[in-house]
Amino acid sequence: MGPAVSLDRLDFKLLDHLQRNGHCSNVELAAAVGLSPSPCLARVKRLLEVGVLRGFEADIAIEKLGEFITVFSEITIGEHRRNSFRIFEEAAEQLPEITECYNVSGGCDYILKITATSMSRFSEIRDHLIELDVGIIKFTTKIVLRKPFASRTVPLRSLKLGG
């Protein structure tokens, strides 16, 4: 992690509005945060350039597209060396069904979020990862039964970021 980017109150208002209404026009965004359109656009471009704002993504309702399962897998790697972690991470990143990968502390080294079309497809993904011989010594699985809620937003206000 590098140093924190210096942002002011208006930058945080922009980020907060964009994460809730990413599809809004620049004119709508400017009005919502109390800026004129030109300086608003300049601020959004700066937030993109410094990497605080990564982009504007669609929130796809995957459940409307067909059957799928979501699985969280805990992975333990045999050797705790930088190169061992790099090898595992590069292999995991090649599988598009692995949508999130977290290097964690505690009883395992990684938690993966995997979205697959079926349990058999998940099994293929698991077997493939193990067969790659990327240092996995333990692979446990938690199948999601339902998702009562989820948020795609960062709690900027409750984290006291931007005042």
Side-chain angles (χ1 to χ4, degrees):
M1 285 177 33
V5 176
S6 178
L7 301 177
D8 65 17
R9 183 184 54 78
L10 280 172
D11 291 326
F12 282 101
K13 283 179 77 173
L14 284 166
L15 291 170
D16 191 50
H17 190 81
L18 283 171
Q19 73 177 348
R20 296 172 200 287
N21 306 289
H23 196 59
C24 68
S25 70
N26 184 58
V27 172
E28 292 169 311
L29 178 60
V33 299
L35 286 171
S36 60
S38 183
C40 180
L41 185 58
R43 280 180 178 261
V44 170
K45 284 183 179 178
R46 177 182 168 271
L47 292 170
L48 286 162
E49 287 168 4
V50 299
V52 172
L53 183 58
R54 286 185 261 220
F56 307 89
E57 299 169 351
D59 184 6
I60 298 170
I62 191 172
E63 66 278 1
K64 303 277 188 184
L65 302 176
E67 295 295 317
F68 71 97
I69 62 166
T70 301
V71 177
F72 287 93
S73 292
E74 295 177 351
I75 308 294
T76 303
I77 302 295
E79 292 185 20
H80 289 163
R81 297 182 181 165
R82 183 174 292 146
N83 192 49
S84 300
F85 290 130
R86 182 188 55 76
I87 289 168
F88 171 78
E89 291 167 11
E90 288 176 359
E93 192 171 14
Q94 296 305 308
L95 296 166
E97 291 94 345
I98 299 176
T99 58
E100 297 178 39
C101 176
Y102 299 93
N103 182 213
V104 298
S105 65
C108 65
D109 297 311
Y110 290 94
I111 296 177
L112 306 178
K113 180 180 179 187
I114 303 169
T115 304
T117 54
S118 65
M119 193 61 201
S120 63
R121 177 61 187 140
F122 165 73
S123 294
E124 291 170 6
I125 295 163
R126 181 202 58 219
D127 293 348
H128 177 71
L129 261 178
I130 292 169
E131 290 167 2
L132 286 176
D133 195 25
V134 291
I136 297 171
I137 61 168
K138 187 175 179 188
F139 196 122
T140 61
T141 299
K142 314 283 192 251
I143 299 169
V144 174
L145 301 176
R146 63 187 188 92
K147 181 168 67 172
F149 72 91
S151 175
R152 292 177 43 115
T153 61
V154 176
L156 295 173
R157 293 175 185 153
S158 65
L159 293 175
K160 305 284 190 246
L161 299 173

